[in-house]
Amino acid sequence: MTQNYRLDKIGLINRDKKLSFKFNGKNYFGYEGDTLASALLANGVHLIGRSFKYHRPRGFFGAGVDEPYAIVQLYRNNETEPNVKTTEQELFEGLEATSVNCWPSVNFDIGAINNFLKVFLPAGFYYKTFMWPKSFWYKVYEPIIRKAAGLGVASTKHDKERYEHKYEYCDLLIAGSGPSGLASAYAAAKNGARVILAEDKPRFGGTLLTSEVNIGNQTGKEWAENIISELKEMPNVIVKNRSQVFGYYDHNMLVMSEKLSDHLPKTKKYNPKQRLWYIRAKEVLISSGSIERPLVFGNNDTPGVMLSSAAKEYLKVYGVLVGKKPLIFTNNDSGYETAIEFKKNGIEPVILDTRKEPNSEIIEEAKNLGIQIKFSYVVVAAKGYKKVNAAEIAKISDNKNDLGTLENITCDCICVSGFWTPTIHLASQSGNKTKFDKDIDAFVPGVSKQSETTLGAANGTFTLAETLKDSFNAGYELSKKITKNDNKISHPTVVEKNKTTHDKFWCVPLPKGKNYKRFLDFQNDVAVSDIEIALKEGYRSIEHVKRYTTLGMATDQGKTSNLNGLQLVSNIENKIVPEVGHTTFRPPYTPVTIGAIVGREVGKHSRPTRKSPMHSWHEKNNAVFVDAGVWLRPRYYKIGEETLFEGSKREAKNVRANVGVCDVTTLGKIDIKGPDAAELLNRVYTNAWLKLPVGKARYGVMLREDGIVMDDGTTTRISENHYHMTTTTAQAANVLSHLEYYLQLVWPELNVNVVSTTEQWAGAAIAGPKSRNLLQKLFPNIDASTEGLPFMGYIEADLFGVHARIFRISFSGELAYEVNVESDNGNFMWEKIMEVGQEFKIQPYGTEALSTLRIEMGHIAGSELDGRTIPYDNSLEGLVSKKKDFIGKRSLDREAFIADDRQKVVGVVPIDKKTSIPEGSHLVKDAMAPIPNPKLGYISASCWSVEYDNPFSLAILKDGKNMIGQKLFAMSPLKNKTIPVEIVSSHYVDPKGERVRS
Amino acid sequence: MLHIKCPHCGMRSQNEFSYGGDATVKRPELNKEISDQDWDNFVYYRKSLRGKHKELWQHISGCRQWIKVERDTATHEIFKTVKAHEDI
Ligand SMILES: [Zn+2]
């Protein structure tokens, strides 16, 4: 197949490497260096999709990031990606793409019936039409809209690609490698600054690749290539192509998305697909250039109508003709550059210039080349449905209000130039208050808020000489400020053709009796008439007009449409554009993939995984793990085909009957040292701590200042000025910060140091009636009797040559000990316990059995300490000192906290003694009461009591202390269960605590 | 992401810090009578300022020190950072 629109001798593509690709199932080929857009155009394909709302045929409008509608669904390496701009997607071997917004196909589109039936969806259509009847929305409207609209389909498969994040610091970040970017980067780099130069396209150079200029004695393109290769060699410079700086955040932090692999058929092994850079720059130079503005006329969305700069870029970069009979429609000199390029390549363009008698070097050149130019002429409407085949043109009066006789002119494309809009997105995002420049009819950056400078076309400077002068200077001055070096490069001389002023005219009036659609926003199908309706209906703020009409709200964020929209509003409202103001520019400048944003933090990498030193033992012994905060803990140790229920029941029973061992390494541990350590504890905990003897542990509860329980745990006095605090697994980090807060800010006079030792100690809880026998065997030299090591006692001992700490504490209701050794010895300790414990029928137990044991003895834990309960609610009021002050004490006097019917923890047993009560169930008096059924309390934790062999739950219940013996209902609408229950004491097992003290 | 100068460690990114609220709030002294209103003011009532705000941050992923920061809540400009015991 020949490429009918490809020229032989022009372009930067690699003609030695042919690439085949598929579009809508049809085979084509292009060359290495093509974009999908240029390759399709080379093959004469102009129909790319359907528009979002009216399903009108869509072609190509731009050649880069500004493209509003040449968007496809891309298939690459067995994956698919929606919303891909053909103008940005580089061609690779085997690329496949399909149209979006077309159902059932791009050539026959059901949605387009909207168009023919004149059921044009005007501004606010969705708001007005789909309101009634309500049921129609779900059944009729939404499915049809969903099917007919949308910009493609997201993959539902797991994304196997790798995305990375990178943090970087630099002196100067330069966004855009056009003339201003290159010049400032070069000047700054030569002056010793650390520079990052980012270019979103594959090729560096920006407009230098397509304009006919000379810098020094080189062409613009040669100069760009030489500067780039020199920059690449410099150790203080990072040069990145395919990298879009899309967001400017606080304190000069910018985020850049680097596409390393999207241009390849497949990501290379060990390479990321994309990389997100977080760059903290001392100074930012915004050299993002400008985007050509469309001219607005009838049917200006027809495929074949495109920006004149895009036509030039297709020609000069890709060697592609967007048409063979081009009509150039311009209000400024830029259109002439495109016309001249066509002419030089053997194509006869016709120029329609809205101006009356403009004169400049470039217009002279066009005239000398014999190009046909019609002054004071406009395109009234494009003709043709799926592709431009003619244009309706007319002479326009000097005041631009009246059209002359309509004429038809044959053409196969219309290249429009409505002058240039500086790309001020980054500057605006930085907080820069932009200002309106009347000379160019556009906003430019105003006063800088952060350390940012905008240069070149992005700053409204459209001559190369001025741009280079400013940019060399800015690069030098800013780098000098940072590096204090003084190495100045003189800027080169420039040869460029001078241009004359543009015409402020941009929107062609409708001829009498014609009702052509004139589009402003091509992606969202917003026409001039839509804005008119919105204003007629009373919308005034440009932000409201935007939302009502969806102007500029599509994925291109109105890059080509914003200013024309503003112009129109200001014309109708008889205001000047700066009074209307522009809508806020928000990051990202271009769409960024979710993968890049998430980076490596996916799946199990979404947070760190912490494992205890005994983890491999648990693994080898069939532990089924559960996430406990960031820790992995054994939930139960599976024997054969045991279920969680069976296994945890077996383990808990064995603790009650013999002895079990549980890995409690995950408990938070804080080492507290200093002469005022006891005083700190006394202020932090609700109970008294000043008289705790050395070698003793105590259970404590700490509150927040608002009286809510923050955490509980035991703290042991290791020596005179040395304490060992334990916290719950979940609160470990918060408790440490809490202590640091009071020590550093509130009571700095206390001489105490705190440090986390959670990772330094491995812990094993040994629980059950035979735990003393086991302990005595593990530590033959200690006195393990209740006299030698009483309840809440603490000793240090030698475990087969390893130093160990032994605490006699229990959360299971059984006689129990906790042994700590240095983490490196954790596995050794565990194996010794299992080995010596054999004769006592020891079994390891996991968190499920641990929960069962604590629930049935009524020991509160995280599910009761849920940030809403006070000590009384948890039956911990006995631990609240009346004598001393402590954090949060004053709040306990609050009216609600001392109310007679205050909630309290209770036990709950199903009347049938069989039905387990789902956690989270509500307790109600009357199961049949109408909704909302008044809630008396909620189930906080449930287990199967191994002591009584029936279900048992804990609940926080209103007036709990007077409810014992009452019959209520536990209702779980989620599980669709209503269970008659009886309220009992929360201390279901060993209410007097005899076992733990035995 | 803010760039905060820890008075102990130097310039660091915001993600190394955690926010700790109004730095001008003073905890009432222990063991002293205090009215319900004064206690409520200490526990609950905070001004939502637009403009300069003196606030606490903790360098949790660094030196773990609590520091005082003066920041403009509207512009995020940081004027000053000092150590916990210093006045801001
Ligand atoms: Zn620090």
Side-chain angles (χ1 to χ4, degrees):
Chain A
M1 200 193 310
T2 54
Q3 295 186 325
N4 287 326
Y5 292 84
R6 184 84 72 175
L7 296 166
D8 290 335
K9 294 193 177 73
I10 186 167
L12 309 176
I13 48 167
N14 177 12
R15 275 164 226 270
D16 296 333
K17 193 152 181 204
K18 257 190 187 182
L19 302 171
S20 58
F21 69 102
K22 253 186 197 170
F23 178 64
N24 283 339
K26 212 174 152 194
N27 290 308
Y28 300 96
F29 78 86
Y31 294 108
E32 189 179 74
D34 261 327
T35 59
L36 178 54
S38 68
L40 283 167
L41 285 166
N43 286 283
V45 177
H46 277 262
L47 182 61
I48 188 86
R50 293 277 172 168
S51 73
F52 191 62
K53 201 156 72 183
Y54 304 133
H55 284 235
R56 287 162 72 102
R58 283 289 180 256
F60 303 89
F61 194 72
V65 67
D66 50 321
E67 176 60 41
Y69 44 48
I71 285 165
V72 292
Q73 181 87 23
L74 186 80
Y75 300 85
R76 171 184 175 270
N77 191 25
N78 298 319
E79 257 300 347
T80 181
E81 191 181 331
N83 191 23
V84 173
K85 288 190 178 101
T86 53
T87 52
E88 290 190 302
Q89 177 61 51
E90 291 172 65
L91 198 65
F92 54 78
E93 177 60 34
L95 181 150
E96 286 185 41
T98 57
S99 298
V100 294
N101 276 342
C102 312
W103 174 55
S105 84
V106 67
N107 279 303
F108 177 80
D109 182 88
I110 283 179
I113 291 167
N114 285 345
N115 197 354
F116 290 120
L117 290 178
K118 299 267 177 213
V119 192
F120 264 31
L121 293 81
F125 175 82
Y126 286 80
Y127 302 117
K128 291 170 187 162
T129 311
F130 299 131
M131 293 292 286
W132 185 88
K134 202 178 163 193
S135 62
F136 265 48
W137 176 250
Y138 307 103
K139 288 172 189 156
V140 183
Y141 302 139
E142 191 178 333
I144 291 175
I145 294 169
R146 290 255 173 256
K147 189 150 193 181
L151 298 168
V153 186
S155 171
T156 52
K157 284 198 287 183
H158 170 71
D159 188 350
K160 291 195 206 80
E161 298 278 1
R162 183 185 171 109
Y163 300 85
E164 285 181 353
H165 285 184
K166 185 176 167 71
Y167 291 80
E168 192 59 80
Y169 291 78
C170 65
D171 296 330
L172 266 79
L173 170 63
I174 299 167
S177 76
S180 52
L182 289 174
S184 52
Y186 191 68
K190 282 285 181 189
N191 202 25
R194 290 165 64 206
V195 173
I196 298 176
L197 176 63
E199 168 60 46
D200 67 318
K201 292 198 167 188
R203 296 174 187 84
F204 296 96
T207 52
L208 293 175
L209 298 178
T210 55
S211 48
E212 293 293 309
V213 291
N214 283 302
I215 300 175
N217 50 8
Q218 307 167 82
T219 65
K221 183 173 152 286
E222 285 162 359
W223 182 81
E225 282 164 0
N226 289 332
I227 292 277
I228 272 293
S229 39
E230 201 173 331
L231 285 172
K232 278 180 177 166
E233 295 304 314
M234 295 173 77
N236 53 328
V237 181
I238 296 173
V239 172
K240 283 284 165 191
N241 60 341
R242 303 187 174 99
S243 298
Q244 177 83 58
V245 179
F246 66 77
Y248 199 135
Y249 299 89
D250 292 304
H251 297 181
N252 259 32
M253 197 189 73
L254 293 97
V255 185
M256 172 172 97
S257 148
E258 182 187 8
K259 294 188 171 173
L260 294 95
S261 311
D262 291 71
H263 62 294
L264 302 170
K266 202 176 157 190
T267 307
K268 284 186 202 134
K269 207 174 180 185
Y270 307 123
N271 269 23
K273 186 178 184 202
Q274 296 174 3
R275 184 180 286 140
L276 206 66
W277 293 58
Y278 294 89
I279 302 170
R280 188 81 71 173
K282 290 203 179 101
E283 293 283 343
V284 177
L285 284 172
I286 300 168
S287 45
S288 45
S290 56
I291 292 172
E292 203 164 19
R293 278 205 289 275
L295 290 168
V296 178
F297 53 89
N299 300 328
N300 56 338
D301 63 331
T302 311
V305 178
M306 64 169 66
L307 292 173
S308 113
S309 58
K312 190 174 74 173
E313 185 168 337
Y314 285 120
L315 214 164
K316 294 206 76 171
V317 176
Y318 306 102
V320 169
L321 291 171
V322 298
K324 292 182 181 173
K325 225 174 155 14
L327 186 63
I328 314 284
F329 180 27
T330 186
N331 71 358
N332 69 93
D333 284 5
S334 301
Y336 288 79
E337 293 178 353
T338 306
I340 289 166
E341 291 301 331
F342 272 117
K343 179 78 182 180
K344 281 194 205 158
N345 286 284
I347 302 293
E348 294 296 333
V350 177
I351 299 175
L352 303 192
D353 192 328
T354 65
R355 297 172 294 182
K356 199 176 173 190
E357 278 157 355
N359 212 339
S360 68
E361 280 175 25
I362 196 150
I363 296 172
E364 276 313 300
E365 186 185 352
K367 283 178 181 166
N368 293 339
L369 284 169
I371 295 173
Q372 190 191 349
I373 308 168
K374 288 167 170 284
F375 293 110
S376 291
Y377 254 82
V378 295
V379 174
V380 175
K383 298 274 182 185
Y385 180 58
K386 287 179 189 168
K387 174 80 195 294
V388 170
N389 55 28
E392 200 168 70
I393 64 172
K395 206 162 173 76
I396 191 152
S397 63
D398 290 353
N399 65 8
K400 310 289 187 199
N401 287 333
D402 304 307
L403 296 173
T405 324
L406 299 182
E407 306 162 33
N408 260 317
I409 181 167
T410 320
C411 60
D412 62 356
C413 67
I414 303 173
C415 307
V416 296
S417 177
F419 206 52
W420 297 87
T421 306
T423 305
I424 57 166
H425 297 63
L426 284 178
S428 176
Q429 286 174 22
S430 79
N432 187 306
K433 289 270 171 275
T434 57
K435 60 176 192 229
F436 191 74
D437 182 340
K438 274 190 300 195
D439 291 342
I440 62 168
D441 299 323
F443 287 92
V444 290
V447 182
S448 296
K449 194 193 129 196
Q450 304 199 36
S451 301
E452 110 281 350
T453 311
T454 306
L455 292 168
N459 198 32
T461 307
F462 294 122
T463 71
L464 183 62
E466 232 181 315
T467 293
L468 287 187
K469 189 170 151 252
D470 290 353
S471 306
F472 268 99
N473 209 34
Y476 162 72
E477 292 291 346
L478 291 170
S479 58
K480 187 179 163 193
K481 207 167 85 181
I482 298 164
T483 63
K484 315 279 184 238
N485 295 341
D486 196 8
N487 185 15
K488 190 170 184 175
I489 310 281
S490 60
H491 57 87
T493 53
V494 169
V495 181
E496 63 183 321
K497 294 200 178 69
N498 86 334
K499 290 177 184 161
T500 184
T501 48
H502 77 290
D503 188 356
K504 287 175 183 293
F505 172 78
W506 61 278
C507 182
V508 180
L510 286 175
K512 284 200 179 61
K514 299 281 187 181
N515 195 24
Y516 298 127
K517 277 271 165 191
R518 295 170 296 170
F519 285 93
L520 292 167
D521 183 317
F522 298 104
Q523 193 175 116
N524 268 0
D525 280 7
V526 180
V528 170
S529 50
D530 294 314
I531 303 290
E532 287 167 350
I533 290 175
L535 291 166
K536 262 184 212 155
E537 291 183 358
Y539 290 88
R540 287 296 175 272
S541 155
I542 188 67
E543 295 282 359
H544 291 162
V545 171
K546 166 180 165 176
R547 277 154 187 83
Y548 193 56
T549 61
T550 72
L551 172 77
M553 283 175 71
T555 59
D556 68 334
Q557 295 220 327
K559 289 182 178 68
T560 50
S561 65
N562 268 341
L563 264 168
N564 283 342
L566 288 177
Q567 296 268 20
L568 180 63
V569 173
S570 58
N571 286 0
I572 299 172
E573 294 275 283
N574 272 324
K575 281 182 185 167
I576 48 171
V577 172
E579 281 177 29
V580 177
H582 61 74
T583 53
T584 314
F585 293 104
R586 291 193 179 85
Y589 173 66
T590 51
V592 181
T593 60
I594 299 286
I597 291 167
V598 174
R600 298 281 288 136
E601 292 164 24
V602 286
K604 68 181 167 115
H605 298 299
S606 58
R607 55 182 185 179
T609 303
R610 295 170 83 181
K611 296 172 181 173
S612 95
M614 290 82 97
H615 188 84
S616 57
W617 190 95
H618 303 322
E619 272 181 333
K620 273 182 245 154
N621 288 273
N622 292 328
V624 177
F625 290 96
V626 63
D627 292 322
V630 290
W631 293 89
L632 272 183
R633 296 189 73 178
R635 197 170 186 190
Y636 75 110
Y637 299 81
K638 193 172 183 168
I639 297 179
E641 293 304 301
E642 254 179 354
T643 62
L644 170 67
F645 178 72
E646 292 160 353
S648 61
K649 208 162 130 183
R650 168 184 52 74
E651 290 170 5
K653 268 185 169 166
N654 190 59
V655 172
R656 295 262 183 257
N658 300 303
V659 60
V661 58
C662 181
D663 186 347
V664 291
T665 303
T666 62
L667 282 185
K669 303 173 203 77
I670 298 170
D671 211 54
I672 303 175
K673 274 184 179 165
D676 296 322
E679 180 60 29
L680 173 71
L681 295 172
N682 209 43
R683 295 178 185 188
V684 165
Y685 282 127
T686 61
N687 48 343
W689 283 81
L690 296 180
K691 288 178 187 154
L692 181 73
V694 172
K696 275 285 204 178
R698 183 166 286 174
Y699 175 73
V701 174
M702 61 178 80
L703 308 186
R704 313 189 309 217
E705 291 287 16
D706 63 0
I708 299 291
V709 180
M710 181 177 182
D711 199 38
D712 71 339
T714 57
T715 292
T716 306
R717 191 165 192 179
I718 305 284
S719 67
E720 180 64 22
N721 292 330
H722 183 194
Y723 291 79
H724 172 80
M725 176 186 273
T726 64
T727 73
T728 58
T729 304
Q731 290 293 336
N734 291 343
V735 171
L736 183 65
S737 272
H738 182 71
L739 299 179
E740 287 165 337
Y741 175 86
Y742 283 94
L743 284 173
Q744 293 173 25
L745 289 159
V746 185
W747 304 311
E749 68 278 9
L750 292 185
N751 189 357
V752 184
N753 269 313
V754 292
V755 65
S756 166
T757 53
T758 303
E759 278 91 352
Q760 278 64 36
W761 296 101
I766 303 168
K770 293 182 185 163
S771 57
R772 176 174 292 131
N773 308 30
L774 171 58
L775 193 80
Q776 190 68 73
K777 275 227 156 180
L778 286 165
F779 302 95
N781 297 329
I782 64 164
D783 174 7
S785 72
T786 204
E787 291 76 33
L789 183 53
F791 182 55
M792 299 307 261
Y794 165 77
I795 52 169
E796 291 174 26
D798 178 276
L799 176 72
F800 301 98
V802 164
H803 173 255
R805 290 174 163 185
I806 308 167
F807 307 81
R808 188 174 161 193
I809 50 178
S810 171
F811 295 95
S812 57
E814 296 298 331
L815 173 66
Y817 303 88
E818 201 180 303
V819 184
N820 281 6
V821 295
E822 284 175 24
S823 289
D824 286 353
N825 299 323
N827 207 50
F828 171 80
M829 165 185 69
W830 189 270
E831 284 178 349
K832 279 291 170 201
I833 291 170
M834 287 306 297
E835 183 190 317
V836 178
Q838 283 309 312
E839 65 172 284
F840 307 109
K841 299 193 175 147
I842 194 168
Q843 285 184 20
Y845 65 101
T847 56
E848 199 70 14
L850 186 78
S851 290
T852 297
L853 297 167
R854 75 97 185 164
I855 292 169
E856 65 176 4
M857 78 166 294
H859 190 96
I860 52 105
S863 46
E864 289 77 37
L865 307 181
D866 62 354
R868 293 180 295 182
T869 54
I870 58 170
Y872 174 87
D873 305 350
N874 296 296
S875 287
L876 295 170
E877 63 272 27
L879 287 171
V880 177
S881 168
K882 297 226 162 32
K883 291 183 196 141
K884 57 137 197 177
D885 201 357
F886 53 83
I887 292 168
K889 184 178 192 183
R890 183 66 178 80
S891 290
L892 296 178
D893 296 342
R894 284 174 59 194
E895 214 173 299
F897 288 179
I898 53 172
D900 256 357
D901 59 352
R902 178 73 197 173
Q903 62 180 10
K904 199 174 189 55
V905 64
V906 293
V908 183
V909 178
I911 297 207
D912 68 1
K913 301 255 170 139
K914 278 186 202 130
T915 313
S916 287
I917 309 167
E919 288 174 352
S921 297
H922 286 188
L923 291 171
V924 298
K925 207 167 187 79
D926 176 5
M928 307 302 282
I931 290 169
N933 194 342
K935 178 181 103 171
L936 301 176
Y938 56 94
I939 302 292
S940 59
S942 288
C943 72
W944 188 277
S945 166
V946 289
E947 185 89 4
Y948 298 106
D949 202 23
N950 58 252
F952 176 73
S953 297
L954 291 176
I956 305 287
L957 180 62
K958 191 173 181 176
D959 198 18
K961 77 169 180 259
N962 293 317
M963 295 294 278
I964 310 294
Q966 296 269 338
K967 295 200 166 53
L968 299 173
F969 295 91
M971 294 185 77
S972 173
L974 274 178
K975 301 268 164 83
N976 199 19
K977 275 190 176 174
T978 300
I979 305 160
V981 296
E982 186 182 348
I983 306 304
V984 299
S985 161
S986 59
H987 298 289
Y988 200 42
V989 172
D990 191 24
K992 289 185 187 148
E994 285 159 353
R995 293 183 197 175
V996 292
R997 291 183 165 79
S998 65
Chain B
M1 206 192 300
L2 306 187
H3 215 200
I4 301 170
K5 187 178 177 186
C6 171
H8 307 278
C9 311
M11 289 302 269
R12 299 299 172 100
S13 274
Q14 183 186 345
N15 52 5
E16 293 187 14
F17 295 84
S18 73
Y19 181 68
D22 191 336
T24 63
V25 175
K26 223 176 135 37
R27 193 198 189 277
E29 272 182 58
L30 289 166
N31 301 305
K32 256 204 175 156
E33 284 278 308
I34 180 168
S35 69
D36 284 352
Q37 190 57 56
D38 287 348
W39 183 257
D40 272 4
N41 284 342
F42 159 63
V43 176
Y44 295 105
Y45 289 88
R46 297 291 182 272
K47 285 200 178 90
S48 180
L49 287 176
R50 181 188 165 88
K52 280 192 179 183
H53 188 234
K54 290 168 182 165
E55 56 201 19
L56 297 170
W57 290 77
Q58 190 186 11
H59 195 190
I60 47 163
S61 302
C63 62
R64 293 207 61 90
Q65 294 301 301
W66 285 88
I67 62 169
K68 293 173 182 166
V69 176
E70 188 175 41
R71 180 181 64 104
D72 190 307
T73 57
T75 64
H76 286 317
E77 186 179 349
I78 290 177
F79 307 100
K80 200 176 174 191
T81 57
V82 298
K83 295 175 183 172
H85 64 271
E86 293 170 345
D87 285 330
I88 189 157

